[in-house]
Amino acid sequence: MQYFKITLIRSGIGMTGRQNKVLQSLGLRKRMSIVYHPVSPEVAGKIMKVKELVTVAETDKLETKKEIQESRRPPKGFVVEKKVLGGSV
Amino acid sequence: MFGPFRASNPLFGGLVWKIPWRLSPPQKYRHRKRLQRVDEVIDTLESALKKQGESIAAIERWRHEMPTEAEMEARDKYTMFDRKSKTYRKGVHKTPKWTRISQRLNPPGF
């Protein structure tokens, strides 16, 4: 099944009540939040109402909240080459 | 002359927000990117619906009426119609919320 991956890039603050209600109905509350909706004319119509505020991608698999968080985690800055067994070196 | 009660324009007349007359080159660049982002959203919506054999009136109307960023002339991109100004044009950045609205068309002949 195909999904729209919708990311809120620009805040809806100060936009029309109608656009903010559409964002609410899509489940977009904060900037950079991601929601998935199945590809359908209804959802496409909603996205058209807020097209200046969001980016859209088409995908076939859903991401959990944890996976989204993991993909956003910055690199740790080090690489573990070899683990020493037995604790203290 | 100095201090908190000096006579300066903003303090005397209240709020003075100065919007520059013209857009700077980086502003224009970011504006183009925003236009392209909207075009991309519409492309993905259209192609995704097409795979299901569907289409919606809002997209069809947009395709019929609105030029894409590449098709737009520079004067429509960066300026818009203004009935009060001498040249009937003003910078598009004078529009309220200009970074979050689609302002692509102008009255024919202006």
Side-chain angles (χ1 to χ4, degrees):
Chain A
M1 193 174 171
Q2 296 295 107
Y3 295 93
F4 285 130
K5 179 186 179 181
I6 312 163
T7 314
L8 186 65
I9 297 290
R10 303 293 310 272
S11 148
I13 293 174
M15 303 312 281
T16 59
R18 191 162 183 158
Q19 281 177 308
N20 275 311
K21 290 247 173 80
V22 169
L23 289 181
Q24 205 182 339
S25 78
L26 284 169
L28 291 165
R29 288 165 177 276
K30 293 181 175 180
R31 256 195 75 220
M32 305 314 287
S33 60
I34 296 171
V35 290
Y36 288 88
H37 284 287
V39 172
S40 72
E42 289 79 22
V43 175
K46 282 183 188 178
I47 296 170
M48 276 301 279
K49 277 269 176 282
V50 292
K51 58 190 170 304
E52 293 89 4
L53 310 179
V54 297
T55 55
V56 184
E58 196 194 359
T59 57
D60 54 353
K61 60 177 178 185
L62 299 172
E63 264 183 322
T64 60
K65 205 171 177 183
K66 207 164 190 183
E67 283 171 337
I68 294 171
Q69 278 178 350
E70 208 54 46
S71 69
R72 283 174 171 171
R73 193 180 295 279
K76 281 185 174 164
F78 62 87
V79 184
V80 179
E81 287 186 353
K82 190 178 157 192
K83 275 191 179 170
V84 180
L85 290 171
S88 60
V89 183
Chain B
M1 197 173 166
F2 302 109
F5 302 111
R6 67 196 183 279
S8 67
N9 239 4
L11 287 175
F12 249 170
L15 196 61
V16 177
W17 279 16
K18 292 186 177 171
I19 304 174
W21 186 82
R22 71 186 90 223
L23 283 166
S24 71
Q27 269 179 319
K28 287 161 97 172
Y29 170 78
R30 292 194 299 269
H31 183 49
R32 284 196 299 277
K33 289 288 158 199
R34 283 192 290 271
L35 291 170
Q36 286 163 11
R37 206 176 63 208
V38 173
D39 288 340
E40 255 174 50
V41 167
I42 286 159
D43 283 342
T44 31
L45 288 184
E46 197 179 32
S47 68
L49 287 177
K50 211 173 196 176
K51 281 178 203 164
Q52 300 194 343
E54 306 253 22
S55 170
I56 59 171
I59 292 177
E60 275 170 22
R61 187 170 171 209
W62 179 275
R63 282 277 181 240
H64 185 244
E65 287 179 358
M66 290 289 200
T68 62
E69 190 271 333
E71 287 167 3
M72 283 172 78
E73 285 174 29
R75 69 193 291 270
D76 281 336
K77 247 183 246 182
Y78 310 120
T79 64
M80 65 172 293
F81 175 70
D82 175 26
R83 69 189 163 91
K84 296 190 292 299
S85 72
K86 210 174 201 177
T87 54
Y88 293 106
R89 283 275 166 173
K90 66 177 179 183
V92 73
H93 62 296
K94 306 251 180 180
T95 330
K97 309 212 171 24
W98 70 285
T99 59
R100 290 187 284 164
I101 56 164
S102 287
Q103 157 57 43
R104 298 193 179 199
L105 293 175
N106 286 292
F110 291 96

